[in-house]
Amino acid sequence: MEAIKRYWRALGEAPRAAIFKCLRFELVLSVVVTIICVIAACIAFDALEREDILGACQVLGFLVLLLIVSLICVIYGYVLVYRAYRAVKQWLFSLNASGYPTEATWTAKDTWLLAVALVGFTGLLPNLIGVITEIALGEWSASLPGMVFWVVIGIVTTPIAARRYIPLS
């Protein structure tokens, strides 16, 4: 945990703010969507128990609308991750630290590693919430392997990217 704090403190202010904005947005979005979906599912099941087909269909329509809004929010989340990527890259290039990539030595491998690490790191908490929710509810949906995959990606690539791109003083 101490190593994580050291790398976080060593990161510049602009990249930290951009990453924190991503984390905050995705965490709030995932909690709100999870709560709304659980409430809507309870209302739909209650309507079906009362044999209120129209009420159940209205809730289903609401869930479709929620899915569309969530998709728009996810796209905005990726825009925030891209902004964080640019902030980290600009901060790294402004350091001119020896042994670390510069504009001249930046490769496609560096781009992929940093991008995947940022997506994995910022999506770590929302995906953990999703995995825990599905396990707690006993629902094993088709999205569970994808969420577990991104949790693993976030855990594995973040330390690699931190060691590669954040110079410790």
Side-chain angles (χ1 to χ4, degrees):
M1 189 63 158
E2 187 60 33
I4 295 170
K5 289 180 184 178
R6 277 195 343 238
Y7 280 112
W8 183 252
R9 283 187 224 116
L11 193 61
E13 185 61 36
R16 251 196 327 246
I19 291 170
F20 187 69
K21 187 175 183 179
C22 292
L23 289 170
R24 188 177 54 234
F25 175 77
E26 290 181 10
L27 184 62
V28 169
L29 176 68
S30 64
V31 169
V32 168
V33 168
T34 300
I35 291 171
I36 291 173
C37 285
V38 167
I39 291 170
C42 291
I43 292 170
F45 287 135
D46 181 56
L48 286 174
E49 282 181 4
R50 291 181 288 123
E51 296 181 5
D52 181 15
I53 303 301
L54 181 61
C57 288
Q58 287 174 338
V59 172
L60 184 64
F62 172 73
L63 287 175
V64 169
L65 178 64
L66 180 67
L67 180 68
I68 293 169
V69 170
S70 295
L71 182 63
I72 292 168
C73 289
V74 166
I75 291 170
Y76 178 67
Y78 282 120
V79 168
L80 289 177
V81 170
Y82 175 70
R83 288 179 183 166
Y85 166 81
R86 277 195 347 224
V88 169
K89 196 171 155 185
Q90 288 173 354
W91 170 79
L92 180 64
F93 292 160
S94 70
L95 290 179
N96 290 327
S98 65
Y100 290 92
T102 62
E103 284 186 78
T105 61
W106 191 262
T107 64
K109 177 184 159 190
D110 293 319
T111 298
W112 278 101
L113 177 61
L114 183 58
V116 170
L118 282 172
V119 170
F121 177 71
T122 58
L124 191 60
L125 287 176
N127 284 315
L128 276 174
I129 290 172
V131 168
I132 292 168
T133 302
E134 287 200 11
I135 290 172
L137 295 175
E139 295 290 324
W140 302 98
S141 71
S143 64
L144 186 61
M147 287 189 286
V148 170
F149 173 76
W150 281 109
V151 167
V152 171
I153 290 294
I155 291 171
V156 170
T157 61
T158 302
I160 295 169
R163 279 192 299 273
R164 181 160 173 84
Y165 301 119
I166 303 174
L168 295 175
S169 300

